Amino acid sequence: MAVYADFCSRHVGVHGETRDEMIKELGYERIVDLIEDAVPAEIRDGAELDLPEALSETDALELLKMIMGQNEVFKSFIGQGYYGTHTPAVIQRNVLENPGWYTAYSPYQAEIAQGRMEALVNFQTMITDLTGLDIANASLLDEGTAAAEAVALARSNKPKGTTVFVSDKCLPQTIDVVKNRCEPLNIEVLVGDWKSFDPSTCEGLFATLVQYPNVEGAIEDYAEFHEKVHAAKATTIVAADILSLTVLRAPGQFGTDICIGSSQRFGVPMGFGGPHAGFIACIDKLKRKLPGRIIGISIDPEGRKGYRIALQTREQHIRRDKATSNICTAQVLLAVMASMYAVYHGPDGLRNIAFNVHEMAQVAAGSICSKGYEIVSDSFFDTITVKTPGQAEEFHAKAAEVGINLRSIDADHVGISCDETTSIDDMMALLSIFDVEEPVVPNEDEVAWDEVHERTTEFCTASVFNSYHSETEMLRYLARLEKRDLALNESMISLGSCTMKLNATSEMIPVTWPEVGQMHPFVPEEQCQGYLDMLDSLSDWLAEITGFAAVSLQPNAGSAGEYAGLLAIRRYHADRGDKQRVDCLIPTSAHGTNPASAVMAGMKVVPVKCDDQGNIDVADLKAKAEKHADTLACLMVTYPSTHGVYESTIKEICELIHANGGQVYMDGANMNAQVGLTSPGKIGADVCHLNLHKTFCIPHGGGGPGVGPIGVAEQLVPYLPGHIGMENNEGAVSSAPYGSASINVISWMYIAMMGGDGLTEATKIAILNANYVAKRLSEHFPILYTGNKGLVAHECIIDVRGLTEQSDVTVEDIAKRLMDYGYHGPTMSWPVAGTLMIEPTESESKKELDRFCDAMISIRQEIQEIIDGKADKENNILKHAPHTAQVVTRDEWDRPYSRQKAAYPMEILRDHKFWPYIGRIDNVYGDRNLVCSCAGMEEYGEA
Ligand SMILES: *Cc1c(COP(=O)(O)O)cnc(C)c1O
């Protein structure tokens, strides 16, 4: 059948006669008529996207292989936060390459996310153990941003603090990200030698940050220093190397309050800078303000233990302008991988790896010193810095000749970091450039650090880290957890605003190519031509799609994009002598990351009202813009609106802001309703972030990774984030110059295979599918907002408030009941409390849309039974949902509805049934009895 000849027809779920049928159902003859009515004429773009012709899956893979083939993968001794690592094959195949893991959504619906939350609790346990601190979260974006988050956390502990001290021996990219994050908040960053820094004389000191081992490789004793910092009532932060912690004293043992780092070298490929999971752990006292998601343990109505996101009320989307962090999407998939690396190797295996790496570093140090060179510190773990006065260039050149990279420091030093992948051949190649012929091998059991640095505490003692060391056991553990989670390989995940579309296999395949995975982010430019080419074309394509002058791929989540975009605006105003322009207008319906990002960018949030239709109240906007005209920095606006409607006033809104001296920031989370039909540039915005993990097919990974590039208009181009070591070296928002570089291949593949027409077709079908669902459900639930001709954009909101009033059934009850029908609930209570926001995306077929609508309609009938008094208001099928196999098959059954109705409410489920692993989780209980690691799990719930 010709219909399926191209990739577009595989990506899009609706074609041919079915497509015509759906269009007719909506009262239209042709799709263009539907689009003309749905998308306001003022913003519609007549021009077609100027993108390369669509390629087949095979051809696109072949072309990308050729492009990435230009990369020269040298052996890396660069270190500086990124290390070679062996991803255990069982983890690569069954997690990284497995849609059961990578297509899952963030774990907001706990009962169908137990598998990945168990893995995340393992991650937290591993981090808590290794750092020797009380509590850890389930990942941050990278090491640099984790350090910046730690500084913000420390500041919230001493709000009057003005100054943070940062050791000049921290990783340079970390120092840079911290500086950039502190600048808009007027926090002074003192960078210097920690040994000569006196905390007692530093006015306003609220935190110190040191690196362990430091950037030169030296292991230093911070115990006394930390005592002095504490005496000055400041918080101590340590950036630590995760592998070294298996053999070195835990930071918690020398007075560390917060420890951060990267878990990359636990089995996650370097990927030219990312993605990988940053970590943060802290002392108990700071836990309520710890940024990011923390997974905790709680119980279900049967008293069975289960996991859920703990302390959710601290999350940024609720704290809005009081937020100290804007992190939303984190790095769940990579945290899962790192935790599984520890599960597979166990504590002894990890220690073994660490000692092997250390031995290699000792060989390097001993051999190089035997040739008369000096190293800067005799106390090291995996990294040494060699003094090569005036000869560094020469050594880099010699290294390149034998296919290896050293860390570039200055004219007089080179850095060498060993890692798990350093082989004897690699070592011989390294030593050859120092003219070593006979390597000097250290004495057995000898280490290059003093006894005080020796690790004396145990880690990863929980049974999970000591049970799955054979591949068979590991494989089954992974499979067991995977089956507890509902991901896109099970059914549609209709999460409004999150665009859970197809993550095609061909898009994913390049991610694990060695030329993609094994590239260090700081290699010389001539070695990464493939990457630069690929990233360049992707940036160009995204610029074309957004209608902007340039795009930066550096931000590694939507939230990071928002922050980078606002910084660009801030710097633009400042350069024009308008430093006072700091007011940021944000509609009350905005996503929580918007105000949080604004606060982080040093802006003042000015809320703007929305009208009954969910549109921005233009009169209120006008009044606020004019009132704040002298101090107006920008407006942050989501388009189509967070209510899923194309506001026809959007152009007028942009003009109004410009007339008052402000810039327009567009939140591009809803870009799936724009691609090919209109664009932020065309509409009149100045900057926009995209979520490549929404519109451009990067999978959600169960809560990350993401990529949040920003596109900007001409005047903002100079203010795009740069990176130390790049020509534009200002304003970095991530540790790596291209952020989570490796997963950009996914979006590259998507655009290459869709072409301009395909992308536009996807947008049209996304609109068709959303309107089809809205139409079918509108007979059973009120649709909250519609635009022109009663149409919605790419998502629709159903209003449950009236039903809740009559029946006590809440949106949460509906989401839980949907699990019994094999579905993940839509977005709950956002942007309007008591509603559900459904976004089906273009990838779903009519059959799947109908099945979902049937489930919703069936639930509506169950609600009607309560309203009609046929079912009890408390003891009913919705309040007891979800139903586990255990509950349904119990010998006793005293519920007022049948078991059959509980578990098989629709005929179609007989063919295929997804069983929620656990009953409804008690959030309140979990927060009151906070346990966030495996230790303590055994006794949990019995108290
Ligand atoms: C998803 C989303 C964001 C945040 O993006 P992350 O990648 O999770 O940081 C911001 N705004 C809107 C409207 C979103 O839907």
Side-chain angles (χ1 to χ4, degrees), residues 439-479:
V440 178
V441 179
N443 293 330
E444 217 171 306
D445 294 334
E446 209 169 88
V447 291
W449 56 77
D450 292 341
E451 211 179 313
V452 59
H453 297 302
E454 194 73 36
R455 186 168 184 109
T456 53
T457 46
E458 291 192 289
F459 63 93
C460 294
T461 52
S463 67
V464 69
F465 298 107
N466 296 282
S467 304
Y468 308 112
H469 300 328
S470 77
E471 183 165 332
T472 302
E473 285 294 339
M474 187 68 192
L475 179 66
R476 289 179 190 153
Y477 180 56
L478 290 171

mmCIF file of all heavy atoms in Angstrom, residues 439-479:
data_model
loop_
_atom_site.group_PDB
_atom_site.id
_atom_site.type_symbol
_atom_site.label_atom_id
_atom_site.label_comp_id
_atom_site.label_asym_id
_atom_site.label_seq_id
_atom_site.Cartn_x
_atom_site.Cartn_y
_atom_site.Cartn_z
ATOM 1 N N PRO A 439 56.969 0.669 31.845
ATOM 2 C CA PRO A 439 56.077 1.304 32.818
ATOM 3 C C PRO A 439 56.478 0.955 34.264
ATOM 4 O O PRO A 439 56.955 -0.144 34.516
ATOM 5 C CB PRO A 439 54.702 0.734 32.502
ATOM 6 C CG PRO A 439 54.874 -0.281 31.455
ATOM 7 C CD PRO A 439 56.288 -0.296 30.996
ATOM 8 N N VAL A 440 56.283 1.904 35.151
ATOM 9 C CA VAL A 440 56.547 1.660 36.571
ATOM 10 C C VAL A 440 55.236 1.245 37.221
ATOM 11 O O VAL A 440 54.269 2.006 37.246
ATOM 12 C CB VAL A 440 57.093 2.943 37.243
ATOM 13 C CG1 VAL A 440 57.315 2.708 38.728
ATOM 14 C CG2 VAL A 440 58.371 3.384 36.558
ATOM 15 N N VAL A 441 55.227 0.008 37.706
ATOM 16 C CA VAL A 441 53.987 -0.525 38.278
ATOM 17 C C VAL A 441 54.014 -0.355 39.796
ATOM 18 O O VAL A 441 55.039 -0.634 40.427
ATOM 19 C CB VAL A 441 53.821 -2.011 37.886
ATOM 20 C CG1 VAL A 441 52.554 -2.597 38.473
ATOM 21 C CG2 VAL A 441 53.818 -2.148 36.362
ATOM 22 N N PRO A 442 52.909 0.160 40.384
ATOM 23 C CA PRO A 442 52.906 0.399 41.827
ATOM 24 C C PRO A 442 52.898 -0.914 42.613
ATOM 25 O O PRO A 442 52.505 -1.951 42.085
ATOM 26 C CB PRO A 442 51.619 1.164 42.060
ATOM 27 C CG PRO A 442 50.728 0.739 40.943
ATOM 28 C CD PRO A 442 51.617 0.490 39.764
ATOM 29 N N ASN A 443 53.324 -0.852 43.849
ATOM 30 C CA ASN A 443 53.222 -2.023 44.723
ATOM 31 C C ASN A 443 51.761 -2.349 44.955
ATOM 32 O O ASN A 443 50.915 -1.460 45.017
ATOM 33 C CB ASN A 443 53.868 -1.739 46.080
ATOM 34 C CG ASN A 443 55.349 -1.579 45.929
ATOM 35 O OD1 ASN A 443 55.967 -2.170 45.049
ATOM 36 N ND2 ASN A 443 55.932 -0.743 46.778
ATOM 37 N N GLU A 444 51.495 -3.600 45.098
ATOM 38 C CA GLU A 444 50.128 -4.019 45.347
ATOM 39 C C GLU A 444 49.625 -3.387 46.664
ATOM 40 O O GLU A 444 50.401 -3.202 47.603
ATOM 41 C CB GLU A 444 50.077 -5.544 45.460
ATOM 42 C CG GLU A 444 48.807 -6.102 44.840
ATOM 43 C CD GLU A 444 48.860 -7.615 44.750
ATOM 44 O OE1 GLU A 444 49.843 -8.136 44.161
ATOM 45 O OE2 GLU A 444 47.954 -8.247 45.262
ATOM 46 N N ASP A 445 48.341 -3.055 46.693
ATOM 47 C CA ASP A 445 47.713 -2.502 47.891
ATOM 48 C C ASP A 445 48.217 -1.108 48.269
ATOM 49 O O ASP A 445 47.872 -0.588 49.322
ATOM 50 C CB ASP A 445 47.888 -3.417 49.103
ATOM 51 C CG ASP A 445 47.139 -4.711 48.899
ATOM 52 O OD1 ASP A 445 46.157 -4.687 48.134
ATOM 53 O OD2 ASP A 445 47.550 -5.730 49.472
ATOM 54 N N GLU A 446 49.033 -0.529 47.437
ATOM 55 C CA GLU A 446 49.505 0.814 47.752
ATOM 56 C C GLU A 446 48.581 1.813 47.079
ATOM 57 O O GLU A 446 48.210 1.637 45.920
ATOM 58 C CB GLU A 446 50.914 0.982 47.190
ATOM 59 C CG GLU A 446 51.743 1.968 47.978
ATOM 60 C CD GLU A 446 53.198 1.885 47.548
ATOM 61 O OE1 GLU A 446 53.527 2.609 46.592
ATOM 62 O OE2 GLU A 446 53.964 1.103 48.145
ATOM 63 N N VAL A 447 48.186 2.848 47.812
ATOM 64 C CA VAL A 447 47.361 3.877 47.191
ATOM 65 C C VAL A 447 48.040 5.230 47.340
ATOM 66 O O VAL A 447 48.862 5.420 48.238
ATOM 67 C CB VAL A 447 45.939 3.950 47.805
ATOM 68 C CG1 VAL A 447 45.128 2.710 47.460
ATOM 69 C CG2 VAL A 447 45.988 4.168 49.308
ATOM 70 N N ALA A 448 47.647 6.135 46.457
ATOM 71 C CA ALA A 448 48.302 7.443 46.437
ATOM 72 C C ALA A 448 47.541 8.465 47.270
ATOM 73 O O ALA A 448 47.295 9.574 46.818
ATOM 74 C CB ALA A 448 48.447 7.912 44.986
ATOM 75 N N TRP A 449 47.086 8.054 48.432
ATOM 76 C CA TRP A 449 46.478 9.025 49.327
ATOM 77 C C TRP A 449 46.744 8.632 50.767
ATOM 78 O O TRP A 449 46.991 7.467 51.069
ATOM 79 C CB TRP A 449 44.977 9.189 49.062
ATOM 80 C CG TRP A 449 44.151 7.928 49.129
ATOM 81 C CD1 TRP A 449 43.736 7.288 50.238
ATOM 82 C CD2 TRP A 449 43.636 7.180 48.012
ATOM 83 N NE1 TRP A 449 42.984 6.178 49.912
ATOM 84 C CE2 TRP A 449 42.902 6.098 48.548
ATOM 85 C CE3 TRP A 449 43.704 7.333 46.617
ATOM 86 C CZ2 TRP A 449 42.253 5.166 47.731
ATOM 87 C CZ3 TRP A 449 43.056 6.398 45.815
ATOM 88 C CH2 TRP A 449 42.345 5.324 46.375
ATOM 89 N N ASP A 450 46.694 9.608 51.642
ATOM 90 C CA ASP A 450 46.942 9.369 53.061
ATOM 91 C C ASP A 450 45.775 8.627 53.684
ATOM 92 O O ASP A 450 44.655 8.663 53.176
ATOM 93 C CB ASP A 450 47.129 10.706 53.801
ATOM 94 C CG ASP A 450 48.407 11.382 53.379
ATOM 95 O OD1 ASP A 450 49.281 10.677 52.826
ATOM 96 O OD2 ASP A 450 48.520 12.603 53.583
ATOM 97 N N GLU A 451 46.059 8.054 54.837
ATOM 98 C CA GLU A 451 45.051 7.255 55.508
ATOM 99 C C GLU A 451 43.779 8.049 55.826
ATOM 100 O O GLU A 451 42.679 7.512 55.762
ATOM 101 C CB GLU A 451 45.646 6.693 56.799
ATOM 102 C CG GLU A 451 45.047 5.363 57.150
ATOM 103 C CD GLU A 451 45.661 4.812 58.424
ATOM 104 O OE1 GLU A 451 46.908 4.853 58.516
ATOM 105 O OE2 GLU A 451 44.903 4.368 59.296
ATOM 106 N N VAL A 452 43.946 9.331 56.090
ATOM 107 C CA VAL A 452 42.797 10.155 56.463
ATOM 108 C C VAL A 452 41.752 10.189 55.341
ATOM 109 O O VAL A 452 40.556 10.355 55.576
ATOM 110 C CB VAL A 452 43.243 11.588 56.851
ATOM 111 C CG1 VAL A 452 43.971 12.267 55.694
ATOM 112 C CG2 VAL A 452 42.059 12.438 57.282
ATOM 113 N N HIS A 453 42.202 9.999 54.100
ATOM 114 C CA HIS A 453 41.272 10.056 52.958
ATOM 115 C C HIS A 453 40.613 8.721 52.652
ATOM 116 O O HIS A 453 39.765 8.632 51.783
ATOM 117 C CB HIS A 453 42.020 10.525 51.711
ATOM 118 C CG HIS A 453 42.577 11.905 51.827
ATOM 119 N ND1 HIS A 453 41.793 13.001 52.096
ATOM 120 C CD2 HIS A 453 43.848 12.377 51.739
ATOM 121 C CE1 HIS A 453 42.549 14.075 52.152
ATOM 122 N NE2 HIS A 453 43.802 13.733 51.954
ATOM 123 N N GLU A 454 41.031 7.684 53.359
ATOM 124 C CA GLU A 454 40.524 6.336 53.109
ATOM 125 C C GLU A 454 39.032 6.274 53.450
ATOM 126 O O GLU A 454 38.589 6.814 54.460
ATOM 127 C CB GLU A 454 41.308 5.388 54.022
ATOM 128 C CG GLU A 454 41.185 3.942 53.706
ATOM 129 C CD GLU A 454 41.950 3.539 52.452
ATOM 130 O OE1 GLU A 454 43.037 4.098 52.202
ATOM 131 O OE2 GLU A 454 41.424 2.678 51.732
ATOM 132 N N ARG A 455 38.275 5.621 52.623
ATOM 133 C CA ARG A 455 36.857 5.436 52.935
ATOM 134 C C ARG A 455 36.731 4.411 54.059
ATOM 135 O O ARG A 455 37.302 3.321 53.975
ATOM 136 C CB ARG A 455 36.098 4.943 51.710
ATOM 137 C CG ARG A 455 34.607 4.878 51.980
ATOM 138 C CD ARG A 455 33.723 4.672 50.778
ATOM 139 N NE ARG A 455 32.361 4.740 51.269
ATOM 140 C CZ ARG A 455 31.512 5.724 51.028
ATOM 141 N NH1 ARG A 455 31.834 6.691 50.223
ATOM 142 N NH2 ARG A 455 30.309 5.740 51.573
ATOM 143 N N THR A 456 35.979 4.770 55.097
ATOM 144 C CA THR A 456 35.842 3.852 56.228
ATOM 145 C C THR A 456 34.394 3.400 56.390
ATOM 146 O O THR A 456 34.089 2.538 57.207
ATOM 147 C CB THR A 456 36.273 4.540 57.539
ATOM 148 O OG1 THR A 456 35.534 5.759 57.649
ATOM 149 C CG2 THR A 456 37.755 4.829 57.548
ATOM 150 N N THR A 457 33.494 4.002 55.619
ATOM 151 C CA THR A 457 32.082 3.652 55.767
ATOM 152 C C THR A 457 31.635 2.807 54.577
ATOM 153 O O THR A 457 32.168 2.923 53.484
ATOM 154 C CB THR A 457 31.212 4.921 55.840
ATOM 155 O OG1 THR A 457 31.633 5.808 54.796
ATOM 156 C CG2 THR A 457 31.367 5.617 57.169
ATOM 157 N N GLU A 458 30.641 1.983 54.820
ATOM 158 C CA GLU A 458 30.141 1.100 53.770
ATOM 159 C C GLU A 458 29.164 1.850 52.875
ATOM 160 O O GLU A 458 28.670 2.923 53.227
ATOM 161 C CB GLU A 458 29.440 -0.089 54.416
ATOM 162 C CG GLU A 458 30.421 -0.998 55.116
ATOM 163 C CD GLU A 458 29.758 -2.310 55.482
ATOM 164 O OE1 GLU A 458 28.909 -2.309 56.396
ATOM 165 O OE2 GLU A 458 30.094 -3.318 54.842
ATOM 166 N N PHE A 459 28.877 1.271 51.730
ATOM 167 C CA PHE A 459 27.875 1.862 50.831
ATOM 168 C C PHE A 459 27.199 0.749 50.048
ATOM 169 O O PHE A 459 27.730 -0.371 49.926
ATOM 170 C CB PHE A 459 28.528 2.871 49.878
ATOM 171 C CG PHE A 459 29.546 2.257 48.947
ATOM 172 C CD1 PHE A 459 29.179 1.829 47.684
ATOM 173 C CD2 PHE A 459 30.863 2.094 49.353
ATOM 174 C CE1 PHE A 459 30.110 1.239 46.832
ATOM 175 C CE2 PHE A 459 31.794 1.490 48.504
ATOM 176 C CZ PHE A 459 31.418 1.068 47.246
ATOM 177 N N CYS A 460 26.026 1.059 49.533
ATOM 178 C CA CYS A 460 25.261 0.080 48.742
ATOM 179 C C CYS A 460 25.175 -1.273 49.446
ATOM 180 O O CYS A 460 25.414 -2.327 48.830
ATOM 181 C CB CYS A 460 25.859 -0.057 47.342
ATOM 182 S SG CYS A 460 25.710 1.435 46.352
ATOM 183 N N THR A 461 24.829 -1.237 50.719
ATOM 184 C CA THR A 461 24.678 -2.481 51.469
ATOM 185 C C THR A 461 23.272 -3.067 51.311
ATOM 186 O O THR A 461 23.054 -4.236 51.629
ATOM 187 C CB THR A 461 24.941 -2.249 52.965
ATOM 188 O OG1 THR A 461 24.125 -1.149 53.372
ATOM 189 C CG2 THR A 461 26.403 -1.929 53.237
ATOM 190 N N ALA A 462 22.327 -2.283 50.827
ATOM 191 C CA ALA A 462 20.951 -2.779 50.666
ATOM 192 C C ALA A 462 20.955 -3.986 49.730
ATOM 193 O O ALA A 462 21.807 -4.097 48.850
ATOM 194 C CB ALA A 462 20.060 -1.675 50.106
ATOM 195 N N SER A 463 19.979 -4.867 49.923
ATOM 196 C CA SER A 463 20.021 -6.146 49.209
ATOM 197 C C SER A 463 19.964 -5.964 47.699
ATOM 198 O O SER A 463 20.531 -6.758 46.952
ATOM 199 C CB SER A 463 18.911 -7.065 49.700
ATOM 200 O OG SER A 463 17.672 -6.522 49.327
ATOM 201 N N VAL A 464 19.305 -4.910 47.240
ATOM 202 C CA VAL A 464 19.184 -4.733 45.789
ATOM 203 C C VAL A 464 20.553 -4.613 45.111
ATOM 204 O O VAL A 464 20.733 -5.020 43.970
ATOM 205 C CB VAL A 464 18.272 -3.523 45.456
ATOM 206 C CG1 VAL A 464 18.943 -2.210 45.843
ATOM 207 C CG2 VAL A 464 17.909 -3.494 43.982
ATOM 208 N N PHE A 465 21.525 -4.070 45.844
ATOM 209 C CA PHE A 465 22.866 -3.912 45.257
ATOM 210 C C PHE A 465 23.715 -5.178 45.410
ATOM 211 O O PHE A 465 24.872 -5.217 45.015
ATOM 212 C CB PHE A 465 23.602 -2.740 45.907
ATOM 213 C CG PHE A 465 22.925 -1.419 45.693
ATOM 214 C CD1 PHE A 465 22.247 -0.779 46.724
ATOM 215 C CD2 PHE A 465 22.944 -0.808 44.434
ATOM 216 C CE1 PHE A 465 21.618 0.425 46.521
ATOM 217 C CE2 PHE A 465 22.309 0.414 44.219
ATOM 218 C CZ PHE A 465 21.642 1.036 45.268
ATOM 219 N N ASN A 466 23.121 -6.192 46.012
ATOM 220 C CA ASN A 466 23.891 -7.401 46.286
ATOM 221 C C ASN A 466 23.164 -8.657 45.825
ATOM 222 O O ASN A 466 23.382 -9.739 46.356
ATOM 223 C CB ASN A 466 24.217 -7.460 47.790
ATOM 224 C CG ASN A 466 25.107 -6.294 48.202
ATOM 225 O OD1 ASN A 466 26.302 -6.319 47.965
ATOM 226 N ND2 ASN A 466 24.515 -5.249 48.758
ATOM 227 N N SER A 467 22.280 -8.511 44.849
ATOM 228 C CA SER A 467 21.440 -9.643 44.450
ATOM 229 C C SER A 467 21.486 -9.976 42.975
ATOM 230 O O SER A 467 21.176 -11.090 42.584
ATOM 231 C CB SER A 467 19.981 -9.351 44.797
ATOM 232 O OG SER A 467 19.842 -9.055 46.158
ATOM 233 N N TYR A 468 21.816 -9.007 42.122
ATOM 234 C CA TYR A 468 21.620 -9.215 40.680
ATOM 235 C C TYR A 468 22.938 -9.109 39.919
ATOM 236 O O TYR A 468 23.090 -8.289 39.025
ATOM 237 C CB TYR A 468 20.603 -8.203 40.144
ATOM 238 C CG TYR A 468 19.307 -8.174 40.929
ATOM 239 C CD1 TYR A 468 18.945 -7.068 41.692
ATOM 240 C CD2 TYR A 468 18.447 -9.283 40.911
ATOM 241 C CE1 TYR A 468 17.767 -7.045 42.415
ATOM 242 C CE2 TYR A 468 17.262 -9.270 41.647
ATOM 243 C CZ TYR A 468 16.931 -8.153 42.392
ATOM 244 O OH TYR A 468 15.768 -8.138 43.106
ATOM 245 N N HIS A 469 23.881 -9.933 40.276
ATOM 246 C CA HIS A 469 25.191 -9.813 39.645
ATOM 247 C C HIS A 469 25.402 -10.767 38.469
ATOM 248 O O HIS A 469 26.362 -10.621 37.720
ATOM 249 C CB HIS A 469 26.305 -10.006 40.688
ATOM 250 C CG HIS A 469 26.224 -8.990 41.788
ATOM 251 N ND1 HIS A 469 25.753 -7.709 41.581
ATOM 252 C CD2 HIS A 469 26.536 -9.049 43.102
ATOM 253 C CE1 HIS A 469 25.787 -7.038 42.723
ATOM 254 N NE2 HIS A 469 26.239 -7.832 43.667
ATOM 255 N N SER A 470 24.518 -11.754 38.311
ATOM 256 C CA SER A 470 24.603 -12.562 37.083
ATOM 257 C C SER A 470 23.706 -11.899 36.056
ATOM 258 O O SER A 470 22.739 -11.208 36.398
ATOM 259 C CB SER A 470 24.136 -13.995 37.339
ATOM 260 O OG SER A 470 22.725 -14.057 37.405
ATOM 261 N N GLU A 471 24.006 -12.114 34.775
ATOM 262 C CA GLU A 471 23.210 -11.417 33.759
ATOM 263 C C GLU A 471 21.769 -11.903 33.756
ATOM 264 O O GLU A 471 20.844 -11.121 33.554
ATOM 265 C CB GLU A 471 23.832 -11.553 32.364
ATOM 266 C CG GLU A 471 23.021 -10.767 31.341
ATOM 267 C CD GLU A 471 23.709 -10.528 30.011
ATOM 268 O OE1 GLU A 471 24.946 -10.472 29.967
ATOM 269 O OE2 GLU A 471 22.985 -10.390 29.005
ATOM 270 N N THR A 472 21.560 -13.177 34.005
ATOM 271 C CA THR A 472 20.190 -13.692 34.045
ATOM 272 C C THR A 472 19.373 -12.983 35.121
ATOM 273 O O THR A 472 18.271 -12.500 34.877
ATOM 274 C CB THR A 472 20.202 -15.212 34.327
ATOM 275 O OG1 THR A 472 20.960 -15.834 33.295
ATOM 276 C CG2 THR A 472 18.809 -15.784 34.353
ATOM 277 N N GLU A 473 19.953 -12.868 36.315
ATOM 278 C CA GLU A 473 19.238 -12.204 37.411
ATOM 279 C C GLU A 473 18.988 -10.736 37.054
ATOM 280 O O GLU A 473 17.918 -10.189 37.298
ATOM 281 C CB GLU A 473 20.051 -12.296 38.705
ATOM 282 C CG GLU A 473 20.019 -13.671 39.354
ATOM 283 C CD GLU A 473 18.637 -14.054 39.871
ATOM 284 O OE1 GLU A 473 17.810 -13.154 40.102
ATOM 285 O OE2 GLU A 473 18.387 -15.271 40.028
ATOM 286 N N MET A 474 19.999 -10.106 36.482
ATOM 287 C CA MET A 474 19.890 -8.689 36.140
ATOM 288 C C MET A 474 18.802 -8.478 35.094
ATOM 289 O O MET A 474 17.953 -7.592 35.225
ATOM 290 C CB MET A 474 21.238 -8.195 35.600
ATOM 291 C CG MET A 474 21.287 -6.704 35.360
ATOM 292 S SD MET A 474 21.208 -5.802 36.928
ATOM 293 C CE MET A 474 20.930 -4.157 36.313
ATOM 294 N N LEU A 475 18.840 -9.313 34.062
ATOM 295 C CA LEU A 475 17.853 -9.210 32.986
ATOM 296 C C LEU A 475 16.445 -9.306 33.545
ATOM 297 O O LEU A 475 15.555 -8.535 33.197
ATOM 298 C CB LEU A 475 18.102 -10.324 31.969
ATOM 299 C CG LEU A 475 17.143 -10.387 30.784
ATOM 300 C CD1 LEU A 475 17.314 -9.155 29.902
ATOM 301 C CD2 LEU A 475 17.371 -11.643 29.973
ATOM 302 N N ARG A 476 16.244 -10.245 34.443
ATOM 303 C CA ARG A 476 14.898 -10.444 34.996
ATOM 304 C C ARG A 476 14.506 -9.304 35.930
ATOM 305 O O ARG A 476 13.342 -8.918 35.995
ATOM 306 C CB ARG A 476 14.821 -11.788 35.719
ATOM 307 C CG ARG A 476 14.851 -12.928 34.730
ATOM 308 C CD ARG A 476 14.790 -14.269 35.405
ATOM 309 N NE ARG A 476 15.060 -15.321 34.413
ATOM 310 C CZ ARG A 476 15.572 -16.498 34.711
ATOM 311 N NH1 ARG A 476 15.859 -16.798 35.962
ATOM 312 N NH2 ARG A 476 15.775 -17.384 33.772
ATOM 313 N N TYR A 477 15.463 -8.776 36.643
ATOM 314 C CA TYR A 477 15.157 -7.626 37.509
ATOM 315 C C TYR A 477 14.691 -6.443 36.648
ATOM 316 O O TYR A 477 13.663 -5.820 36.927
ATOM 317 C CB TYR A 477 16.389 -7.242 38.334
ATOM 318 C CG TYR A 477 16.163 -6.062 39.265
ATOM 319 C CD1 TYR A 477 15.138 -6.080 40.210
ATOM 320 C CD2 TYR A 477 16.961 -4.919 39.196
ATOM 321 C CE1 TYR A 477 14.925 -4.996 41.062
ATOM 322 C CE2 TYR A 477 16.758 -3.840 40.047
ATOM 323 C CZ TYR A 477 15.738 -3.881 40.974
ATOM 324 O OH TYR A 477 15.523 -2.809 41.804
ATOM 325 N N LEU A 478 15.437 -6.191 35.565
ATOM 326 C CA LEU A 478 15.061 -5.101 34.664
ATOM 327 C C LEU A 478 13.680 -5.335 34.053
ATOM 328 O O LEU A 478 12.860 -4.424 33.964
ATOM 329 C CB LEU A 478 16.107 -4.950 33.552
ATOM 330 C CG LEU A 478 17.461 -4.398 33.993
ATOM 331 C CD1 LEU A 478 18.484 -4.494 32.866
ATOM 332 C CD2 LEU A 478 17.321 -2.958 34.469
ATOM 333 N N ALA A 479 13.421 -6.570 33.648
ATOM 334 C CA ALA A 479 12.132 -6.884 33.026
ATOM 335 C C ALA A 479 10.997 -6.730 34.034
ATOM 336 O O ALA A 479 9.924 -6.218 33.724
ATOM 337 C CB ALA A 479 12.160 -8.295 32.467
#
